Amino acid sequence: MTDLRIERTAGEASLLDWQFVHNAIIPTAALSFAEVAERAGRNQLSVAYLGEALVGCSTVRPPGADAPVATVIARVMPEHRNQGLGGQLYTHGLELARDLGAEVIETCVVESNPEGLRFALRQGFVETERYVLPGDTVPFIDLRLV
């Protein structure tokens, strides 16, 4: 087990770190800093570090009042994959989602990240939908934990 440090975003520096990881892994749906700050207001955004090295980020979209469904997304930079970091980041997000009242867990993976899709399938997620955002060319894959 590694000494992964997961911190909720708090301030510009950590939001910039979250943005960097997101945009590196999903370049076809890159987010501006303003979009990241807006997401931080409605979602739980976290960044993950090994020592001082930025290795990943996560998003937990909390369950809504009308449905106990949360979305947990864990992203790990390619050079830090296959070291158990994604599992730790995912577990952290899953625990947070359940603490927020989620009874159903979903995730979303961009098709150009086959490692992320394999990881989600190994965790017990099943594909529910594929779609392409307007103006985009790379599909997103929605999955639900069964």
Side-chain angles (χ1 to χ4, degrees):
M1 212 41 112
T2 59
D3 293 323
L4 185 67
R5 186 176 81 251
I6 302 170
E7 301 175 357
R8 185 160 179 196
T9 56
E12 185 175 335
S14 60
L15 287 173
L16 286 168
D17 282 351
W18 188 96
Q19 178 189 25
F20 177 82
V21 174
H22 175 277
N23 291 350
I25 294 173
I26 311 173
T28 61
L31 296 174
S32 69
F33 183 79
E35 290 169 315
V36 172
E38 185 275 327
R39 285 183 185 211
R42 58 184 163 86
N43 299 320
Q44 305 261 342
L45 306 183
S46 297
V47 284
Y49 304 92
L50 276 177
E52 296 303 312
L54 175 65
V55 299
C57 73
S58 69
T59 301
V60 175
R61 296 179 195 146
D66 57 336
V69 180
T71 300
V72 176
I73 302 169
R75 298 179 193 90
V76 175
M77 297 296 286
E79 63 271 22
H80 296 285
R81 292 180 183 160
N82 300 310
Q83 300 174 38
L85 305 175
Q88 291 177 63
L89 195 54
Y90 165 71
T91 298
H92 180 267
L94 184 61
E95 290 171 358
L96 177 57
R98 291 198 168 129
D99 288 346
L100 293 169
E103 296 173 15
V104 177
I105 305 294
E106 295 180 335
T107 196
C108 182
V109 179
V110 66
E111 187 180 66
S112 59
N113 180 4
E115 297 98 335
L117 181 57
R118 282 193 298 274
F119 176 84
L121 295 172
R122 281 194 312 268
Q123 303 310 308
F125 284 88
V126 296
E127 183 176 332
T128 58
E129 181 181 11
R130 283 182 188 237
Y131 55 92
V132 177
L133 296 174
D136 206 349
T137 58
V138 179
F140 283 84
I141 306 165
D142 285 347
L143 303 106
R144 182 171 277 200
L145 187 60
V146 294

